[in-house]
Amino acid sequence: MITRLLVANRGEIARRVFATCRTLGVETVAVHSDADADAPFVAEADQAVRLPGNTPAETYLRIDLILDAARRSGADAVHPGYGFLAENAAFATAVTDAGLTWVGPPAAAIAAMGDKMAAKELLARAGVPMLPTWTEPDAVTDFPVLVKASAGGGGRGMRVVRDAADLAEALASARRESAAAFGDGTVFVERYVERGRHVEVQVVGDGHGTLVALGERECSIQRRHQKLVEEAPAVVPPDLRERLYAAAVAAGRAVGYVGAGTVEFLLAPTGEFFFLEMNTRLQVEHPVTELTTGLDLVRLQLLVAEGAPLPFAQAPPADGHAIEVRLCAEDPAHGWRPATGTLRRFSVPGVAVEFGGLTRPGLRLDSGVADGSTVGVHYDSMLAKLVARGPTRTEAARLLAGALARAELHGVTTNRDLLLRVLRSPGFLAAEVDTGFLDRHPEVFAPLLSADELPLTALAAALALAAARRATAPVLASLPSGWRNVPAFPQVTRFAGADGEVEVRYRLDRAGGLAEWSTDPSDERTVTLVAATGQRVVLDVDGVRRAHRVHRVGSEVFVDGPEGATSLTELPRLPLPTAELAVGSLLAPLPGTVTRRHVEVGRRVTAGDLLLTLEAMKLEHPVLAPVDGVVTDLPVPPGGQVETGAVLAVVEPTEEDA
């Protein structure tokens, strides 16, 4: 019997496993890097052990450190979570050799599925349908194809190639990214299916010969091959569902699978399906299966690890529909690069449960962060998963979209607007989904807050700041902000926003009402101030009342309104002088490492040319020339680490370019 469990992972999945352990009376142990010392998962564990290491990411990959942490804490079992060492056969072997209970599949099954090419050959012999696959670039003749990492997943090391001329560079880039993410740069090539669907089957097996398919999940809404929206059950015909289940069980039996795992398939428009990979661990999207089956998959993992048989011989039927979205720290204004910073507020209203099951329609939140959490560059950009369960797919989508719209996500830019637009799009609601959904629906990338609404949001921010100052004024606090005996000049508040500076001019009358306002003289809307405090401003816009929630931290002002949310920075009335950068300077958008230089000083480039490759959060980010010109400086050598705002390159336009 397991009495004290160490989770060899971090963030949201560690908290998820701890939640089940608390219901079972199992004590918990967290391991953490220095960067995670103050993270919520560390605080929630009964014990926590620091993992020393050269870099925060490497610490979680050190098998020796994790086993030592188990020994020092008295843990008798290890759960790998997902990511890091979760699909490392050597880790599973080391845990069992140390006399600890391994909460996962046998090492032999992990090894068999860890090499994707070998797995394809093994499962093909078991009758599981496969896509054409190549390991030698010269053998590839049919395009488009997909380059994939042999050792991992999550979209890392994956590249779609539509022309033979681009294959060599795609292979090289995929190898680098795979090596950085998984420590193995081996890649292969397989046929790319246009408008294919990503459908996966959850399986669970015990040591007594029972292996069950627990339902399927639709995971086709992806960006850069990383899942954004997942749901259960998938919209597939009953006969296809049964064939998927049979193939998944055949795959599991071929490797003697024990524990919880996922068999992923690519569903073609023709109705054919093909094996993609088997994940020998719990998946990020497992909550949608839990909410539709009523099962706790972590509990099943622990029972099986203790040697108990599964409490059922076949899966319960799906009840209702569940949809999950992944909230990620990403900056849509700058190519969706990973975003960093401090979460000033992380609040989702209406959440019924965290990390648990739901017996009725409602919201579940699985989060690795909380108010005050620091989002750095060392780990994956996912902040949390928000899941809705409803009687029908449409109701689940509406509930989830409403929660996202009301959420307060302050301090770090996220993909919230994209997720919300996807959930409300007619194509998604009609279940017309496949892996090319986002390519066909570019409208979902538009921010919720339009340019027309930004002036009103800025006005609400300015009025809230004024109200807060009057509320704390030591004298004459009852007078309206900016009061004059004789009306003269309007008050002026300037903000820096995502698209540049916004200037708000307004004047309050003797009663504190809005006498005039403007950010743009051509704006003819009639705006009346209904109420204003430091936290809430209500405006009447052409006869329609709109409430704005305002949250200020220092000079940062976060505004959540009915049309969307934005972040503004109040600018000082008398700004201090700053150092002037050289014309054409390209600054690092986030901390990272320069992995490659693609040009040299003196090279003439055109706008859009690739200058450097910056690696952050285990992903490669291209640095492109903004204008035509000549490269005059490359101050960071390959391998050099940079902080946000560091100069990466200088491209000076020539007179001819100008």
Side-chain angles (χ1 to χ4, degrees):
M1 183 177 70
I2 296 172
T3 59
R4 183 173 296 167
L5 178 71
L6 182 148
V7 177
N9 217 294
R10 62 178 299 278
E12 162 264 330
I13 182 56
R15 297 184 75 191
R16 166 68 190 91
V17 176
F18 293 163
T20 290
C21 287
R22 285 192 293 270
T23 66
L24 299 177
V26 176
E27 297 178 19
T28 57
V29 180
V31 291
H32 66 88
S33 66
D34 289 339
D36 279 338
D38 298 322
F41 80 94
V42 177
E44 289 181 3
D46 296 314
Q47 298 185 49
V49 181
R50 172 183 175 267
L51 298 178
N54 294 327
T55 67
E58 288 178 356
T59 58
Y60 294 100
L61 299 174
R62 290 279 302 274
I63 295 175
D64 58 331
L65 296 180
I66 292 173
L67 293 180
D68 180 64
R71 177 188 59 79
R72 292 161 57 194
S73 63
D76 55 9
V78 174
H79 190 299
Y82 41 67
F84 294 123
L85 298 172
E87 295 179 281
N88 187 311
F91 182 44
T93 299
V95 169
T96 54
D97 287 349
L100 304 173
T101 298
W102 167 250
V103 184
I110 297 175
M113 293 295 100
D115 184 333
K116 289 185 172 56
M117 285 304 301
K120 283 174 171 284
E121 295 175 3
L122 173 64
L123 299 188
R125 293 196 293 270
V128 181
M130 297 288 163
L131 283 167
T133 305
W134 303 271
T135 56
E136 297 297 329
D138 294 341
V140 181
T141 56
D142 298 325
F143 290 85
V145 296
L146 184 64
V147 178
K148 299 179 69 174
S150 182
R156 293 179 174 89
M158 295 180 70
R159 303 286 188 277
V160 176
V161 182
R162 300 185 179 279
D163 189 278
D166 300 325
L167 182 58
E169 175 56 30
L171 287 167
S173 177
R175 288 189 184 107
R176 290 193 303 271
E177 194 167 276
S178 176
F182 312 115
D184 184 344
T186 305
V187 298
F188 62 93
V189 181
E190 67 183 18
R191 194 182 87 199
Y192 181 69
V193 176
E194 300 281 4
R195 303 200 67 166
R197 292 170 60 188
H198 188 133
V199 178
E200 60 189 32
V201 178
Q202 176 73 57
V203 297
V204 62
D206 60 24
H208 302 270
T210 301
L211 185 65
V212 180
L214 292 184
E216 80 289 349
R217 300 185 284 256
E218 175 81 59
C219 306
S220 296
I221 306 292
Q222 302 178 8
R223 189 180 60 79
R224 295 177 181 169
H225 308 294
Q226 291 186 304
K227 303 166 186 174
L228 292 178
V229 182
E230 300 108 348
E231 56 182 305
V235 180
V236 295
D239 64 320
L240 176 57
R241 177 176 289 113
E242 292 304 317
R243 288 190 287 127
L244 286 167
Y245 289 0
V249 171
R253 292 201 181 282
V255 294
Y257 200 81
V258 175
T262 303
V263 186
E264 302 191 355
F265 297 99
L266 183 66
L267 179 58
T270 59
E272 299 176 285
F273 64 89
F274 307 95
F275 173 81
L276 285 176
E277 61 184 3
M278 184 173 186
N279 289 290
T280 51
R281 54 174 169 79
L282 204 61
Q283 289 279 86
V284 176
E285 56 271 23
H286 76 274
V288 294
T289 296
E290 293 186 323
L291 295 192
T292 52
T293 62
L295 300 171
D296 182 334
L297 293 181
V298 175
R299 173 178 173 269
L300 295 179
Q301 285 186 299
L302 297 177
L303 289 176
V304 168
E306 291 176 328
L310 287 172
F312 48 78
Q314 62 182 20
D319 180 17
H321 202 95
I323 305 177
E324 171 184 299
V325 293
R326 302 189 188 189
L327 270 170
C328 298
E330 296 178 322
D331 190 347
H334 297 87
W336 298 93
R337 71 190 182 205
T340 59
T342 300
L343 275 170
R344 305 299 186 183
R345 180 174 292 170
F346 185 85
S347 173
V348 184
V351 170
V353 65
E354 294 188 34
F355 306 105
L358 281 170
T359 58
R360 55 182 175 76
L363 293 169
R364 165 176 165 172
L365 178 67
D366 287 17
S367 170
V369 296
D371 288 0
S373 291
T374 298
V375 181
V377 299
H378 306 295
Y379 309 112
D380 189 89
S381 63
M382 190 177 76
L383 302 175
K385 304 176 308 194
L386 185 61
V387 198
R389 178 181 186 268
T392 65
R393 184 175 184 273
T394 300
E395 290 172 287
R398 182 171 58 196
L399 176 61
L400 186 53
L404 281 174
R406 295 189 301 274
E408 295 183 359
L409 312 172
H410 300 167
V412 178
T413 56
T414 72
N415 63 342
R416 185 251 302 271
D417 287 9
L418 170 62
L419 299 174
L420 187 51
R421 286 198 180 276
V422 168
L423 291 171
R424 288 177 172 172
S425 67
F428 178 81
L429 294 174
E432 297 170 352
V433 298
D434 57 64
T435 55
F437 180 89
L438 296 183
D439 294 331
R440 296 196 313 280
H441 296 278
E443 70 277 3
V444 300
F445 288 100
L448 288 177
L449 191 70
S450 67
D452 291 340
E453 296 299 325
L454 181 59
L456 291 173
T457 303
L459 174 63
L463 293 171
L465 296 181
R469 288 169 181 142
R470 295 314 299 157
T472 57
V475 296
L476 302 176
S478 61
L479 291 181
S481 175
W483 183 87
R484 301 287 193 279
N485 189 40
V486 178
F489 301 103
Q491 296 190 76
V492 178
T493 306
R494 296 184 305 117
F495 298 102
D499 297 322
E501 187 175 315
V502 182
E503 183 178 86
V504 181
R505 293 177 173 269
Y506 68 95
R507 183 170 61 84
L508 301 180
D509 59 25
R510 291 176 181 270
L514 190 63
E516 62 177 272
W517 80 284
S518 73
T519 59
D520 182 350
S522 64
D523 195 330
E524 298 180 352
R525 286 176 289 187
T526 300
V527 180
T528 304
L529 175 59
V530 178
T533 67
Q535 296 77 41
R536 188 171 185 266
V537 174
V538 181
L539 300 174
D540 184 300
V541 183
D542 292 333
V544 179
R545 287 192 177 188
R546 301 181 182 181
H548 299 79
R549 290 161 288 153
V550 182
H551 174 214
R552 178 181 181 179
V553 181
S555 61
E556 293 180 286
V557 186
F558 307 98
V559 185
D560 294 277
E563 302 299 324
T566 193
S567 170
L568 301 168
T569 301
E570 186 181 15
L571 298 176
R573 295 180 62 186
L574 301 172
L576 297 173
T578 58
E580 186 175 345
L581 292 170
V583 175
S585 295
L586 286 172
L587 308 183
L590 72 170
T593 302
V594 174
T595 55
R596 295 184 71 198
R597 281 181 178 174
H598 300 275
V599 296
E600 298 297 332
V601 172
R603 168 86 172 269
R604 181 176 177 80
V605 295
T606 58
D609 282 354
L610 180 61
L611 306 179
L612 303 166
T613 299
L614 184 70
E615 182 186 297
M617 292 185 175
K618 297 186 178 181
L619 292 175
E620 290 190 340
H621 306 276
V623 178
L624 309 178
V627 295
D628 297 350
V630 175
V631 179
T632 60
D633 192 13
L634 293 169
V636 185
Q641 295 188 343
V642 296
E643 295 298 324
T644 300
V647 177
L648 297 175
V650 179
V651 179
E652 292 187 6
T654 63
E655 292 184 8
E656 178 183 350
D657 297 321

